[in-house]
């Protein structure tokens, strides 16, 4: 379908972009890579009167790595992450997850900020943000604020962003070199959205016990979630076969799964457990 009629603006500064969104009082939308918004417009799932193109805000396409962690500008594209060799050490979990995003053409245009704002429950970046306790910086007309990823996703395609706010940056905390991690997802075809996916990491103490265990899940409920009950199971334990099987069992019990045309809720719960177990196997195998 053709797009609905709308106006288009391509501001040169962030202030102008925010002012345009604010002036249209919820009837304007930012556009970054357009990989989610254009289909939404074509299907008439959204009908803003104005599109505010962020493409000229080049400073938002930087990846900064320091002792504070990894800072991804909102306009960083999946391809930028794939191409950045520094991230192999600075955030291997992020890099592994992004390899599962869609197809080459989409990874070439889609942005991290767009993915966070779109808030698809099966998207990889929101899952990594929640699992890793990322912070999202959003700039609006009256202020700039930092939102914890845990408070950012309110439901499917719904976030804590106000209509005049633009995401400028996503910060991921520092990543210790020795950290054990794994990312697994199951999709019907390579590049499709995940039917279930799991991101896990833990640090191993001198006695071989898991510490600081983090377990996140995507594609199962209405938003990405950390599974505190599974993390508690792993904390202070050796991650052996029994611990991984128990983590899978607890995942399938506690996860809030939804049914859709692709799978029943029961299947998704079971799949989520399998993804967590496989991700833990990967984590354990890493030294
Ligand atoms: C066929 C197909 C398969 C896909 N498969 C996957 C997949 O497997 N995994 C996955 O994660 N994604 C997938 N995607 C989505 C893709 O990753 C998009 O890149 C992403 O969802 C949105 O990024 P974008 O830059 O294209 O955002 P846009 O489409 O430009 O915008 C999406 C939404 O975010 C808002 N927005 C954009 N930037 C900002 C900002 N900086 N601040 C505030 N609001 C903003 C827009 O107003 C809009 O509401 C797929 C897309 C397609 C078409």
């Amino acid at each position: 379908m053709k797009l609905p009629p709308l106006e288009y603006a391509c501001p040169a500064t962030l202030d102008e972009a925010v002012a345009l969104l604010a002036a249209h009082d919820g009837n304007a939308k930012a556009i970054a890579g357009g990989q989610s918004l254009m289909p939404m417009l074509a299907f008439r799932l959204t009908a803003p009167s104005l599109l505010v193109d962020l493409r000229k805000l080049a400073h938002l396409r930087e990846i900064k790595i320091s002792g504070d962690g990894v800072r991804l500008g909102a306009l960083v594209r999946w391809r930028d992450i794939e191409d950045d060799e520094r991230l192999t050490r600075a955030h291997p979990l992020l890099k592994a997850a992004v390899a599962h995003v869609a197809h080459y053409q989409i990874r070439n245009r889609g942005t991290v900020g767009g993915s966070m704002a779109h808030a698809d429950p099966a998207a990889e970046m929101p899952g990594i943000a929640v699992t890793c306790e990322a912070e999202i910086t959003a700039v609006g007309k009256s202020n700039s604020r930092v939102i914890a990823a845990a408070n950012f996703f309110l439901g499917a395609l719904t976030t804590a962003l106000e209509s005049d706010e633009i995401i400028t940056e996503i910060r991921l905390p520092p990543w210790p070199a020795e950290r054990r991690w794994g990312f697994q997802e199951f999709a019907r075809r390579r590049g499709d959205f995940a039917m279930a996916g799991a991101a896990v990491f833990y640090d191993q103490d001198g006695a071989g016990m898991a510490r600081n265990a983090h377990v996140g899940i995507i594609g199962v409920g209405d938003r990405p979630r950390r599974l505190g009950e599974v993390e508690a199971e792993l904390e202070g334990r050796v991650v052996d076969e029994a611990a991984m099987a128990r983590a899978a069992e607890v995942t399938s019990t506690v996860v809030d799964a939804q049914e859709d045309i692709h799978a029943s809720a029961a299947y998704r719960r079971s799949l989520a457990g399998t993804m967590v177990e496989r991700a833990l196997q990967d984590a354990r195998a890493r030294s």
Side-chain angles (χ1 to χ4, degrees), residues 5-263:
L6 45 75
E7 299 292 316
Y8 171 84
C10 194
T13 66
L14 180 61
D15 285 351
E16 268 181 82
V18 168
L20 281 165
L21 291 178
H24 283 74
D25 199 21
N27 286 315
K29 269 196 166 292
I31 182 162
Q35 299 304 298
S36 297
L37 187 52
M38 294 304 272
M40 297 273 285
L41 290 167
F43 284 119
R44 301 293 193 271
L45 294 172
T46 183
S49 57
L50 173 72
L51 284 189
V52 179
D53 195 336
L54 305 181
R55 73 171 64 197
K56 287 189 183 159
L57 312 183
H59 65 289
L60 298 185
R61 202 175 160 186
E62 286 176 44
I63 300 176
K64 295 178 189 155
I65 299 172
S66 70
D68 280 347
V70 174
R71 292 174 182 272
L72 302 171
L75 295 185
V76 165
R77 300 178 183 191
W78 308 125
R79 176 169 67 87
D80 299 331
I81 293 172
E82 285 180 297
D83 288 351
D84 195 322
E85 283 307 321
R86 297 173 305 162
L87 288 171
T88 307
R89 288 179 71 88
H91 217 294
L93 178 61
L94 169 71
K95 222 169 154 87
V98 165
H100 290 267
V101 175
H103 314 281
Y104 175 78
Q105 291 84 348
I106 293 157
R107 292 204 299 275
N108 204 32
R109 301 283 307 182
T111 66
V112 294
S115 179
M116 296 291 287
H118 186 59
D120 190 301
E124 287 81 2
M125 184 68 216
I128 294 300
V130 168
T131 308
C132 298
E133 300 180 75
E135 291 176 341
I136 297 107
T137 304
V139 176
K141 191 165 175 247
S142 49
N143 68 338
S144 159
R145 62 184 177 131
V146 175
I147 309 164
N151 302 326
F152 186 79
F153 301 102
L154 304 182
L157 310 188
T158 311
T159 71
L161 281 179
E162 299 294 339
S163 60
D164 67 337
E165 284 183 319
I166 291 178
I167 298 173
T168 54
E169 184 179 87
I170 297 121
R171 187 184 74 82
L172 295 159
W175 185 270
E178 302 303 319
R179 181 164 278 172
R180 308 284 176 124
W181 60 273
F183 184 86
Q184 283 279 336
E185 72 171 50
F186 183 84
R188 289 164 77 95
R189 295 167 303 189
R190 173 98 192 141
D192 279 4
F193 277 104
M195 290 172 74
V200 306
F201 68 81
Y202 58 88
D203 301 317
Q204 195 165 281
D205 68 16
M209 311 288 186
R211 301 288 172 198
N212 189 31
H214 281 55
V215 177
I217 201 96
I218 60 169
V220 179
D222 69 348
R223 69 195 85 168
R225 282 195 192 276
R226 266 178 76 187
L227 302 179
E229 295 90 339
V230 184
E231 293 173 356
E233 278 292 329
L234 294 166
E235 197 64 33
R237 287 195 62 171
V238 173
V239 181
D240 55 14
E241 292 294 337
M244 291 188 285
R246 177 80 187 131
E249 193 184 317
V250 176
T251 298
S252 300
T253 309
V254 301
V255 81
D256 186 15
Q258 293 195 334
E259 181 171 70
D260 64 12
I261 53 165
H262 301 298

